[in-house]
Amino acid sequence: MTLTVCVGASGSGKTTFLNDVHKSHKCTYIRQYHNLRPYIAVSAIPNFDPTKLPYWDIYVKEKKAHNIIVGGTIAGQFMAGLSGGQRKLLLFELIFQRTLQQDNLLIVLDEPFAGVTDDFVPFIVGRLNEMRKAHNILLVTNDHVNTLKKMADNTVTVSAIDRSTVQINGKEGVDRELALLAMSIGDAYQHTASNKDLEFFRDVEFSKQGGLLNVALFAVFAFGFFLLMFWDSGEGSEALLVDWRIFMVEEAEALLHSSKTMNKALKTLLTLGLLFVITVIQFGCMAAVLDTLTSAEFFIAILFDNLSLLVMIICLGLYTDLSDQAVQIFGSTPFLFMIFFSTTFSPGAGVRGVKELRYLFPRFYLWCMLPDDVVEMEGCPDENNTTLYLVLASLFTPFCFVVTKVGMKFCANRHQSKGKATQREAMKTLKFAELQLELFGEKALKNLKDLGSNVSNENLQKLAETSSRGKGTGDIPDEEEGVGY
């Protein structure tokens, strides 16, 4: 297999080149600043042996090996754990161990040496030499360039002056898009789901650092004050507020667990479960101070009203690529629209036509269930159907979100199918064959034949023999691995 190094001046587009490779091909991609939840205990990572890390003996001697966490910052909160360089080595070793049982993968690494001190360079070099025996590796670096050039089978040079072409092994003027397509040799990592992934999710999310304990303490604190302030209340008093936000990061791409989809689904279930528990506490507190709102229908009403205010944050936070700020802004719109359009703050008022929007909000039907407020609310449905309408209204937002996502996926697939058809034709040309043989030598022959190249098999064989002449393995001895930088 091959090791290809992408080099260039700062701002020349090296990381952009890797991002485009990641978008174009199935690969394992580790970003320069790859995110892991900082409260993950390193020892809890499934199917991972941390003792292979070059610094792990330090934590063993200090008796911290079982408790040391990944460390870093999430949601503005810093958690002490591994240093930045240690996290980089953790990701690198994680990829190494995960990919041992598979071969012919395309592994893309952005700045694997960044933040790593010189004494750990031989460790990374050794791992790269092992990985390249079974996989194709593409990496970007600004550090230890000479060391990597000695190792590399290929060097791709990008320029800040001309973004449309790149230089490959001294060959100038290579079309950038064609170069991206030529990186296509290599498969995606095949995940194998197991119970260990579920245990890992449980251990991380229910750990002391996971945040659930803080949520529980806050709930007890808030509803404790509720009981103190509203004890022995008369009919017509009400209060409810729930806000819980989840964010999923890039661990699946680092092969930390088996599936993004599974973890997002588990996170959604965990959030909904937490919402249910808080609603039970809220209902219990309200029942303690008001004996008129204790029916099962009212509990269902509170539950789905809370859900309607939270569901947009779940959908946007877990199932889109929006930034944190955008999720918070758009995720709060159901609450704002409820205030302005549900008429629960202005019963009977509003512009005709606009105030009919109240029927889209569960809070309207909830107010229709309150003994004193139902008299003031305009257009309340029959009390036998109020709960049903409330539940349907709470599901309106997720229904619209799903329909929008399906529509966007359909349009994206149509656009991608047209682009892939153009790419397939470009991958059959002589230029593409020459470039891929330049990068991968005879290893590219099977791929070119499978693509149905317009170049005859005889000519492909001749091109492969020509391109492979003079190419070495690129390995460097262990005693030289730490030098040249």
Side-chain angles (χ1 to χ4, degrees):
M1 310 306 283
T2 60
L3 172 64
T4 301
V5 178
C6 181
V7 297
S10 297
S12 58
K14 300 186 296 296
T15 297
T16 302
F17 187 82
L18 260 61
N19 286 336
D20 290 342
V21 170
H22 179 227
K23 293 175 184 177
S24 303
H25 310 299
K26 294 179 179 179
C27 64
T28 301
Y29 183 32
I30 299 298
R31 296 170 172 81
Q32 180 177 357
Y33 303 106
H34 209 93
N35 291 307
L36 298 176
R37 283 169 289 178
Y39 50 86
I40 293 174
V42 178
S43 60
I45 299 175
N47 302 315
F48 177 68
D49 182 6
T51 62
K52 303 297 184 182
L53 292 167
Y55 54 79
W56 194 251
D57 59 329
I58 298 174
Y59 296 111
V60 173
K61 292 176 182 177
E62 295 177 352
K63 298 182 179 181
K64 296 180 180 178
H66 183 71
N67 298 320
I68 190 69
I69 60 175
V70 170
T73 302
I74 185 171
Q77 180 181 358
F78 174 77
M79 297 183 181
L82 300 181
S83 67
Q86 289 177 325
R87 285 195 293 274
K88 179 76 73 171
L89 290 171
L90 168 66
L91 282 165
F92 194 83
E93 180 64 18
L94 183 62
I95 293 296
F96 175 77
Q97 293 187 25
R98 287 284 194 270
T99 57
L100 281 174
Q101 304 304 317
Q102 300 185 31
D103 54 22
N104 196 39
L105 301 179
L106 176 58
I107 300 174
V108 181
L109 307 171
D110 189 3
E111 297 282 6
F113 290 98
V116 177
T117 55
D118 292 349
D119 50 336
F120 289 132
V121 171
F123 172 80
I124 295 180
V125 169
R127 288 296 194 243
L128 284 174
N129 276 329
E130 288 294 317
M131 292 167 66
R132 70 189 299 178
K133 294 176 182 178
H135 310 296
N136 289 317
I137 301 173
L138 171 64
L139 62 85
V140 155
T141 186
N142 272 330
D143 303 296
H144 311 289
V145 175
N146 291 334
T147 298
L148 286 171
K149 280 187 174 181
K150 286 183 180 181
M151 297 175 60
D153 300 291
N154 306 292
T155 302
V156 178
T157 306
V158 295
S159 170
I161 299 175
D162 183 5
R163 295 292 187 96
S164 63
T165 62
V166 297
Q167 178 181 317
I168 297 181
N169 298 337
K171 184 178 181 180
E172 298 182 354
V174 178
D175 182 76
R176 185 180 184 275
E177 295 302 318
L178 198 63
L180 289 171
L181 292 177
M183 297 293 172
S184 59
I185 293 184
D187 302 324
Y189 180 82
Q190 298 299 316
H191 292 280
T192 302
S194 67
N195 289 336
K196 288 187 177 181
D197 290 299
L198 297 176
E199 293 172 1
F200 172 69
F201 182 88
R202 178 201 63 198
D203 293 341
V204 171
E205 293 304 323
F206 288 89
S207 66
K208 181 173 64 175
Q209 297 93 347
L212 289 181
L213 179 61
N214 294 335
V215 174
L217 291 175
F218 178 78
V220 171
F221 173 80
F223 286 112
F225 270 102
F226 177 90
L227 289 174
L228 292 174
M229 299 304 297
F230 291 94
W231 188 262
D232 200 24
S233 297
E235 295 183 9
S237 301
E238 66 284 326
L240 59 156
L241 176 64
V242 172
D243 181 23
W244 207 82
R245 183 176 183 276
I246 303 297
F247 179 72
M248 185 67 183
V249 290
E250 303 155 4
E251 294 155 4
E253 292 181 348
L255 310 184
L256 192 65
H257 40 68
S258 63
S259 171
K260 294 180 186 178
T261 303
M262 181 192 74
N263 276 270
K264 288 179 179 179
L266 289 172
K267 198 66 140 175
T268 301
L269 291 175
L270 178 61
T271 308
L272 295 178
L274 184 62
L275 174 68
F276 180 83
V277 171
I278 291 178
T279 302
V280 169
I281 297 173
Q282 178 181 354
F283 180 75
C285 290
M286 297 180 73
V289 299
L290 291 168
D291 57 5
T292 59
L293 303 175
T294 58
S295 65
E297 289 81 3
F298 194 70
F299 172 78
I300 294 173
I302 294 176
L303 177 63
F304 279 90
D305 180 62
N306 287 347
L307 174 65
S308 69
L309 301 179
L310 177 68
V311 69
M312 184 59 78
I313 293 180
I314 297 176
C315 291
L316 296 178
L318 290 179
Y319 301 101
T320 72
D321 295 326
L322 293 176
S323 65
D324 292 348
Q325 187 176 20
V327 169
Q328 293 180 41
I329 291 173
F330 293 113
S332 64
T333 52
F335 179 75
L336 295 176
F337 286 167
M338 179 274 295
I339 293 175
F340 295 131
F341 298 123
S342 69
T343 71
T344 53
F345 292 88
S346 56
V351 177
R352 185 171 298 279
V354 175
K355 66 179 181 178
E356 269 63 40
L357 293 174
R358 65 186 182 275
Y359 295 114
L360 298 177
F361 295 91
R363 184 63 60 86
F364 168 75
Y365 301 103
L366 179 62
W367 252 242
C368 287
M369 298 175 69
L370 299 176
D372 288 349
D373 291 342
V374 66
V375 179
E376 300 180 5
M377 298 303 295
E378 179 183 6
C380 286
D382 182 87
E383 63 180 16
N384 295 325
N385 297 321
T386 302
T387 304
L388 174 62
Y389 289 148
L390 186 150
V391 171
L392 293 176
S394 69
L395 299 177
F396 177 73
T397 298
F399 173 77
C400 292
F401 180 81
V402 170
V403 170
T404 302
K405 290 289 287 185
V406 170
M408 292 174 64
K409 184 68 174 178
F410 176 76
C411 293
N413 287 341
R414 288 191 60 184
H415 179 73
Q416 288 178 2
S417 62
K418 293 179 181 179
K420 287 180 178 179
T422 303
Q423 288 182 356
R424 282 193 294 270
E425 291 303 314
M427 294 167 78
K428 296 178 181 180
T429 63
L430 175 61
K431 285 186 176 181
F432 178 83
E434 290 175 337
L435 183 56
Q436 195 155 73
L437 288 167
E438 169 70 24
L439 290 167
F440 302 103
E442 294 188 2
K443 302 164 190 171
L445 283 176
K446 182 180 183 301
N447 185 60
L448 290 168
K449 292 175 182 177
D450 292 342
L451 289 171
S453 177
N454 295 332
V455 185
S456 66
N457 291 342
E458 182 180 353
N459 288 333
L460 284 175
Q461 188 65 45
K462 290 179 180 178
L463 286 171
E465 292 172 358
T466 302
S467 64
S468 62
R469 289 190 190 123
K471 272 205 169 190
T473 63
D475 286 346
I476 59 177
D478 290 342
E479 63 267 18
E480 295 181 8
E481 287 174 351
V483 300
Y485 41 83

